[in-house]
Amino acid sequence: MACKLKWSPLLPILLLAGMAGISRAGNIAVYWGQDGGEGTLADACNSGLYAYVMVAFLSTFGQGQTPAINLAGHCDPPSGNCNVFSSDITTCQSNGVKVLLSLGGAGGSYGLSSTEDAQSVATYLWDNFLGGSSASRPLGDAVLDGIDFDIETGNPAHYDELATFLSQYSAQGKKVYLTAAPQCPYPDASLGPALQTGLFDEVWVQFYNNPQCEYPGGDLQGAWSTWTSSVKVSGSFYLGVPASTAAAGSGYISPSDLTSNVLPGVKTTGNYGGIMVWNRSNDVKNSYSSQVKDSV
């Protein structure tokens, strides 16, 4: 026999609290592509650990350059054999994992010189990685879910326009997700103007290689509060962490410190989405995500 729930003035509050608790369950995003020994893209998606995988990086683009993808030892882009990952991408998507192409990185040669340059790069990305068509799609025919901005060098100009042009392709059918990975000092030197467009779905802030806003010596919580209250996103903010001490110059947070000392404060913001892990290679070696997943 079904048990009837007795009405109480507190019942709506309790129900809302329960719903809020459920909404705090976070996801994990990870960067893949910069270590040939980290396993395939399908391996990452079949692990059950991630909601987003960023394929890193399109490290050359803009300023009249021929765009070039760099996937370390995974494949040889000039030969065209990176299209082997097309089936991996569809495997990921069938598992509910969104796959994005990440632009930039800490190295590489990239930048945007004008509005026309931003439009040209957007068109290239649409035709070669998203819903457009091209005879030379580097990752094959699979349609990626969106574009990640990991812009760490050079002039911040025109990335806001690139985001605008890319977002307009969503009107042609499949939504184009936009994500970004700014450094934790606010505002970000390379992505500040772009992030003010309000066009980004998810933002994973890098809380490493920046001592002033790292745990435990810097003001991580203060920087997190500034980011989450100053930038409008349609989705959520993610706390970016290194997967091991080898993954970054500084800012590693042990799994126990993350779950016990950092996440409880970070999760109090309504737009918390989870954590971003740099990167898949170090995550495999240190089993970071698997240790923290149930607490994220």
Side-chain angles (χ1 to χ4, degrees):
M1 180 181 292
C3 178
K4 290 186 177 180
L5 192 61
K6 185 178 180 181
W7 171 256
S8 162
L10 293 175
L11 186 57
I13 298 173
L14 293 172
L15 289 173
L16 286 171
M19 291 169 64
I22 293 172
S23 71
R24 287 298 183 273
N27 293 317
I28 301 178
V30 71
Y31 282 85
W32 173 93
Q34 287 301 294
D35 184 347
E38 66 195 333
T40 67
L41 181 57
D43 290 339
C45 294
N46 288 333
S47 71
L49 294 170
Y50 314 115
Y52 293 88
V53 176
M54 288 74 73
V55 176
F57 293 101
L58 188 76
S59 56
T60 301
F61 64 86
Q63 300 172 333
Q65 303 176 97
T66 300
I69 194 168
N70 178 342
L71 296 180
H74 285 287
C75 58
D76 177 42
S79 74
N81 71 355
C82 294
N83 60 11
V84 68
F85 291 111
S86 184
S87 60
D88 284 30
I89 293 166
T90 55
T91 294
C92 292
Q93 293 168 333
S94 67
N95 287 342
V97 179
K98 290 182 173 58
V99 182
L100 301 98
L101 176 69
S102 186
L103 309 181
S109 173
Y110 58 85
L112 299 172
S113 58
S114 65
T115 300
E116 292 73 23
D117 198 13
Q119 179 67 78
S120 176
V121 171
T123 300
Y124 169 81
L125 293 171
W126 171 254
D127 286 342
N128 288 275
F129 296 97
L130 300 170
S133 61
S134 167
S136 58
R137 290 174 67 92
L139 298 178
D141 292 333
V143 177
L144 276 69
D145 294 288
I147 302 296
D148 174 66
F149 287 50
D150 185 15
I151 307 303
E152 300 188 28
T153 62
N155 192 320
H158 306 295
Y159 286 106
D160 53 346
E161 294 172 309
L162 178 59
T164 298
F165 293 137
L166 287 170
S167 70
Q168 291 169 353
Y169 284 117
S170 292
Q172 298 193 26
K174 181 178 178 179
K175 174 179 170 59
V176 175
Y177 283 84
L178 298 180
T179 65
Q183 309 288 312
C184 56
Y186 183 86
D188 184 81
S190 298
L191 284 169
L195 289 168
Q196 289 305 315
T197 62
L199 295 172
F200 287 83
D201 296 284
E202 316 287 351
V203 173
W204 10 86
V205 184
Q206 299 183 45
F207 283 89
Y208 48 93
N209 295 332
N210 290 283
Q212 65 268 44
C213 41
E214 291 174 2
Y215 176 88
D219 186 12
L220 183 150
Q221 186 64 54
W224 174 261
S225 297
T226 298
W227 273 104
T228 55
S229 62
S230 302
V231 174
K232 179 183 177 183
V233 296
S234 59
S236 307
F237 282 88
Y238 285 58
L239 184 81
V241 296
S244 71
T245 54
S250 62
Y252 176 71
I253 305 172
S254 71
S256 59
D257 273 339
L258 182 76
T259 57
S260 299
N261 300 323
V262 177
L263 288 182
V266 166
K267 285 185 174 185
T268 60
T269 57
N271 49 7
Y272 166 79
I275 66 170
M276 176 273 283
V277 174
W278 174 265
N279 55 11
R280 171 64 177 165
S281 174
N282 286 281
D283 205 13
V284 170
K285 295 171 184 174
N286 198 33
S287 300
Y288 194 88
S289 290
S290 60
Q291 292 183 68
V292 303
K293 182 174 175 58
D294 290 343
S295 300
V296 170

